[in-house]
Amino acid sequence: MSSDAHAHGAADAHAGTRQGQLIGFGASVVLTAIPFLLVMSGAFDKQATALIIMAFAAAQVFVHMIFFLHMNTRAEGGWSMMALIFTIIMVVIALSGSLWVMHHLTTNMMPMHEMGQTP
């Protein structure tokens, strides 16, 4: 491995190899399994679990971008960095929007007897 590869980190150096593909796959499996186990075990309250799942989802997006889409800061004259910034913005919008919609569905779809009203 060249000194240039060391300067940009081990993830960039292995991103295009079979070893990099296997590392990315393993990381994706772990980043999927941990939130699944947290939900199934009920170790945290709902809000903490949702925040943890969002963090793992964001980490998984970055794993996919590095190991499977081969994005880094030096490729394609910086356009990969622009794509990274766009991806970050879209992930934030999608995650926060999903949580906002789910929260409002929960509060607005409450059965009548739980709100203190009778039909």
Side-chain angles (χ1 to χ4, degrees):
M1 190 164 28
S2 68
S3 62
D4 184 40
H6 285 292
H8 293 288
D12 288 344
H14 296 295
T17 65
R18 183 179 301 265
Q19 180 184 9
Q21 297 281 322
L22 291 174
I23 291 170
F25 176 73
S28 295
V29 168
V30 168
L31 291 171
T32 301
I34 290 173
F36 179 78
L37 293 173
L38 286 175
V39 169
M40 294 304 291
S41 70
F44 300 105
D45 64 340
K46 290 180 183 181
Q47 190 173 23
T49 302
L51 291 173
I52 292 169
I53 290 172
M54 283 180 26
F56 275 95
Q60 194 167 60
V61 167
F62 289 112
V63 166
H64 283 259
M65 286 172 40
I66 292 169
F67 288 103
F68 301 123
L69 299 176
H70 312 295
M71 294 178 67
N72 57 38
T73 57
R74 66 182 188 275
E76 300 174 11
W79 280 104
S80 290
M81 183 56 72
M82 293 297 289
L84 173 66
I85 292 168
F86 177 74
T87 302
I88 291 170
I89 291 169
M90 294 307 294
V91 165
V92 167
I93 291 171
L95 291 176
S96 60
S98 296
L99 289 175
W100 181 74
V101 166
M102 287 187 283
H103 171 72
H104 283 281
L105 282 174
T106 300
T107 57
N108 292 329
M109 298 296 284
M110 216 183 234
M112 296 286 267
H113 67 278
E114 289 185 19
M115 292 192 301
Q117 299 175 356
T118 56

Short mmCIF file of all heavy atoms in Angstrom, two decimals, residues 14-42:
data_model
loop_
_atom_site.label_atom_id
_atom_site.label_comp_id
_atom_site.label_asym_id
_atom_site.label_seq_id
_atom_site.Cartn_x
_atom_site.Cartn_y
_atom_site.Cartn_z
N HIS A 14 -8.90 0.45 0.80
CA HIS A 14 -9.48 -0.87 0.57
C HIS A 14 -10.87 -0.82 -0.07
O HIS A 14 -11.48 -1.85 -0.29
CB HIS A 14 -9.59 -1.64 1.89
CG HIS A 14 -8.27 -1.93 2.51
ND1 HIS A 14 -7.34 -2.76 1.93
CD2 HIS A 14 -7.71 -1.49 3.66
CE1 HIS A 14 -6.27 -2.82 2.71
NE2 HIS A 14 -6.47 -2.06 3.76
N ALA A 15 -11.36 0.37 -0.38
CA ALA A 15 -12.75 0.49 -0.82
C ALA A 15 -13.04 -0.25 -2.11
O ALA A 15 -14.13 -0.76 -2.30
CB ALA A 15 -13.11 1.96 -0.98
N GLY A 16 -12.09 -0.34 -3.02
CA GLY A 16 -12.35 -0.99 -4.30
C GLY A 16 -11.95 -2.44 -4.37
O GLY A 16 -12.12 -3.09 -5.40
N THR A 17 -11.41 -3.01 -3.31
CA THR A 17 -10.93 -4.39 -3.32
C THR A 17 -11.99 -5.34 -2.76
O THR A 17 -13.00 -4.92 -2.19
CB THR A 17 -9.65 -4.51 -2.48
OG1 THR A 17 -9.97 -4.22 -1.12
CG2 THR A 17 -8.57 -3.56 -2.98
N ARG A 18 -11.72 -6.62 -2.94
CA ARG A 18 -12.62 -7.63 -2.37
C ARG A 18 -12.64 -7.52 -0.85
O ARG A 18 -13.69 -7.66 -0.23
CB ARG A 18 -12.19 -9.02 -2.80
CG ARG A 18 -13.13 -10.11 -2.28
CD ARG A 18 -12.71 -11.48 -2.72
NE ARG A 18 -12.67 -11.60 -4.16
CZ ARG A 18 -13.68 -12.06 -4.91
NH1 ARG A 18 -14.79 -12.45 -4.33
NH2 ARG A 18 -13.57 -12.15 -6.21
N GLN A 19 -11.46 -7.25 -0.28
CA GLN A 19 -11.40 -7.07 1.17
C GLN A 19 -12.26 -5.89 1.61
O GLN A 19 -12.97 -5.96 2.61
CB GLN A 19 -9.96 -6.86 1.61
CG GLN A 19 -9.81 -6.68 3.11
CD GLN A 19 -8.38 -6.37 3.52
OE1 GLN A 19 -7.52 -6.13 2.69
NE2 GLN A 19 -8.13 -6.38 4.82
N GLY A 20 -12.23 -4.80 0.85
CA GLY A 20 -13.06 -3.65 1.15
C GLY A 20 -14.54 -3.96 1.04
O GLY A 20 -15.35 -3.49 1.85
N GLN A 21 -14.90 -4.74 0.02
CA GLN A 21 -16.30 -5.15 -0.13
C GLN A 21 -16.76 -5.98 1.07
O GLN A 21 -17.88 -5.80 1.56
CB GLN A 21 -16.47 -5.96 -1.43
CG GLN A 21 -16.17 -5.17 -2.68
CD GLN A 21 -17.29 -4.28 -3.08
OE1 GLN A 21 -18.46 -4.62 -2.95
NE2 GLN A 21 -16.96 -3.09 -3.57
N LEU A 22 -15.90 -6.89 1.52
CA LEU A 22 -16.26 -7.72 2.68
C LEU A 22 -16.34 -6.90 3.97
O LEU A 22 -17.22 -7.12 4.79
CB LEU A 22 -15.26 -8.86 2.84
CG LEU A 22 -15.32 -9.93 1.74
CD1 LEU A 22 -14.18 -10.94 1.91
CD2 LEU A 22 -16.66 -10.63 1.73
N ILE A 23 -15.43 -5.93 4.12
CA ILE A 23 -15.50 -5.05 5.29
C ILE A 23 -16.79 -4.24 5.26
O ILE A 23 -17.48 -4.10 6.27
CB ILE A 23 -14.27 -4.13 5.34
CG1 ILE A 23 -13.01 -4.93 5.65
CG2 ILE A 23 -14.45 -3.01 6.37
CD1 ILE A 23 -11.71 -4.15 5.48
N GLY A 24 -17.13 -3.70 4.09
CA GLY A 24 -18.38 -2.94 3.96
C GLY A 24 -19.60 -3.78 4.24
O GLY A 24 -20.54 -3.35 4.91
N PHE A 25 -19.59 -5.03 3.74
CA PHE A 25 -20.72 -5.93 3.98
C PHE A 25 -20.85 -6.24 5.47
O PHE A 25 -21.95 -6.20 6.04
CB PHE A 25 -20.56 -7.22 3.18
CG PHE A 25 -21.62 -8.23 3.46
CD1 PHE A 25 -22.90 -8.05 2.99
CD2 PHE A 25 -21.34 -9.37 4.21
CE1 PHE A 25 -23.90 -8.98 3.25
CE2 PHE A 25 -22.32 -10.29 4.48
CZ PHE A 25 -23.60 -10.11 4.00
N GLY A 26 -19.71 -6.54 6.12
CA GLY A 26 -19.73 -6.84 7.55
C GLY A 26 -20.22 -5.66 8.37
O GLY A 26 -21.02 -5.81 9.30
N ALA A 27 -19.74 -4.47 8.00
CA ALA A 27 -20.18 -3.27 8.72
C ALA A 27 -21.68 -3.03 8.52
O ALA A 27 -22.38 -2.66 9.46
CB ALA A 27 -19.38 -2.05 8.25
N SER A 28 -22.17 -3.29 7.30
CA SER A 28 -23.60 -3.11 7.04
C SER A 28 -24.44 -4.08 7.85
O SER A 28 -25.49 -3.72 8.37
CB SER A 28 -23.88 -3.30 5.55
OG SER A 28 -23.25 -2.30 4.80
N VAL A 29 -23.97 -5.32 7.95
CA VAL A 29 -24.71 -6.32 8.73
C VAL A 29 -24.74 -5.92 10.21
O VAL A 29 -25.81 -5.97 10.85
CB VAL A 29 -24.08 -7.72 8.55
CG1 VAL A 29 -24.63 -8.71 9.55
CG2 VAL A 29 -24.30 -8.22 7.13
N VAL A 30 -23.61 -5.49 10.73
CA VAL A 30 -23.55 -5.09 12.14
C VAL A 30 -24.43 -3.86 12.38
O VAL A 30 -25.17 -3.80 13.38
CB VAL A 30 -22.09 -4.82 12.57
CG1 VAL A 30 -22.02 -4.14 13.92
CG2 VAL A 30 -21.31 -6.12 12.58
N LEU A 31 -24.36 -2.88 11.46
CA LEU A 31 -25.15 -1.65 11.62
C LEU A 31 -26.65 -1.90 11.44
O LEU A 31 -27.46 -1.05 11.80
CB LEU A 31 -24.66 -0.58 10.64
CG LEU A 31 -23.28 -0.01 10.94
CD1 LEU A 31 -22.81 0.87 9.80
CD2 LEU A 31 -23.27 0.73 12.26
N THR A 32 -27.02 -3.03 10.87
CA THR A 32 -28.43 -3.41 10.78
C THR A 32 -28.85 -4.24 11.98
O THR A 32 -29.95 -4.07 12.51
CB THR A 32 -28.70 -4.20 9.48
OG1 THR A 32 -28.33 -3.39 8.37
CG2 THR A 32 -30.15 -4.61 9.36
N ALA A 33 -27.99 -5.14 12.42
CA ALA A 33 -28.33 -6.08 13.49
C ALA A 33 -28.46 -5.39 14.86
O ALA A 33 -29.36 -5.72 15.63
CB ALA A 33 -27.29 -7.19 13.58
N ILE A 34 -27.60 -4.44 15.14
CA ILE A 34 -27.63 -3.79 16.45
C ILE A 34 -28.95 -3.05 16.70
O ILE A 34 -29.57 -3.25 17.75
CB ILE A 34 -26.40 -2.88 16.65
CG1 ILE A 34 -25.14 -3.74 16.77
CG2 ILE A 34 -26.56 -2.00 17.88
CD1 ILE A 34 -23.85 -2.95 16.81
N PRO A 35 -29.42 -2.20 15.77
CA PRO A 35 -30.73 -1.57 16.02
C PRO A 35 -31.87 -2.59 16.11
O PRO A 35 -32.79 -2.43 16.91
CB PRO A 35 -30.93 -0.65 14.81
CG PRO A 35 -29.56 -0.37 14.33
CD PRO A 35 -28.78 -1.61 14.59
N PHE A 36 -31.80 -3.64 15.30
CA PHE A 36 -32.83 -4.69 15.37
C PHE A 36 -32.86 -5.31 16.77
O PHE A 36 -33.93 -5.48 17.36
CB PHE A 36 -32.57 -5.75 14.31
CG PHE A 36 -33.56 -6.87 14.32
CD1 PHE A 36 -34.81 -6.70 13.77
CD2 PHE A 36 -33.24 -8.08 14.90
CE1 PHE A 36 -35.73 -7.73 13.78
CE2 PHE A 36 -34.15 -9.12 14.92
CZ PHE A 36 -35.40 -8.94 14.36
N LEU A 37 -31.69 -5.63 17.29
CA LEU A 37 -31.62 -6.23 18.63
C LEU A 37 -32.08 -5.25 19.71
O LEU A 37 -32.71 -5.66 20.69
CB LEU A 37 -30.20 -6.71 18.91
CG LEU A 37 -29.74 -7.89 18.04
CD1 LEU A 37 -28.26 -8.16 18.28
CD2 LEU A 37 -30.57 -9.12 18.31
N LEU A 38 -31.76 -3.97 19.54
CA LEU A 38 -32.22 -2.97 20.52
C LEU A 38 -33.74 -2.88 20.55
O LEU A 38 -34.34 -2.77 21.62
CB LEU A 38 -31.63 -1.60 20.20
CG LEU A 38 -30.15 -1.41 20.52
CD1 LEU A 38 -29.68 -0.05 20.03
CD2 LEU A 38 -29.91 -1.55 22.01
N VAL A 39 -34.36 -2.93 19.39
CA VAL A 39 -35.82 -2.86 19.33
C VAL A 39 -36.43 -4.12 19.93
O VAL A 39 -37.39 -4.07 20.71
CB VAL A 39 -36.30 -2.65 17.88
CG1 VAL A 39 -37.80 -2.84 17.77
CG2 VAL A 39 -35.90 -1.27 17.39
N MET A 40 -35.88 -5.27 19.59
CA MET A 40 -36.45 -6.53 20.08
C MET A 40 -36.26 -6.70 21.58
O MET A 40 -37.11 -7.28 22.24
CB MET A 40 -35.80 -7.72 19.34
CG MET A 40 -36.14 -7.76 17.86
SD MET A 40 -37.90 -7.81 17.52
CE MET A 40 -38.32 -9.42 18.12
N SER A 41 -35.15 -6.18 22.13
CA SER A 41 -34.91 -6.34 23.57
C SER A 41 -35.66 -5.30 24.40
O SER A 41 -35.94 -5.54 25.57
CB SER A 41 -33.41 -6.24 23.87
OG SER A 41 -32.96 -4.91 23.67
N GLY A 42 -35.97 -4.16 23.81
CA GLY A 42 -36.65 -3.10 24.56
C GLY A 42 -35.77 -2.50 25.64
O GLY A 42 -36.25 -2.08 26.68
#
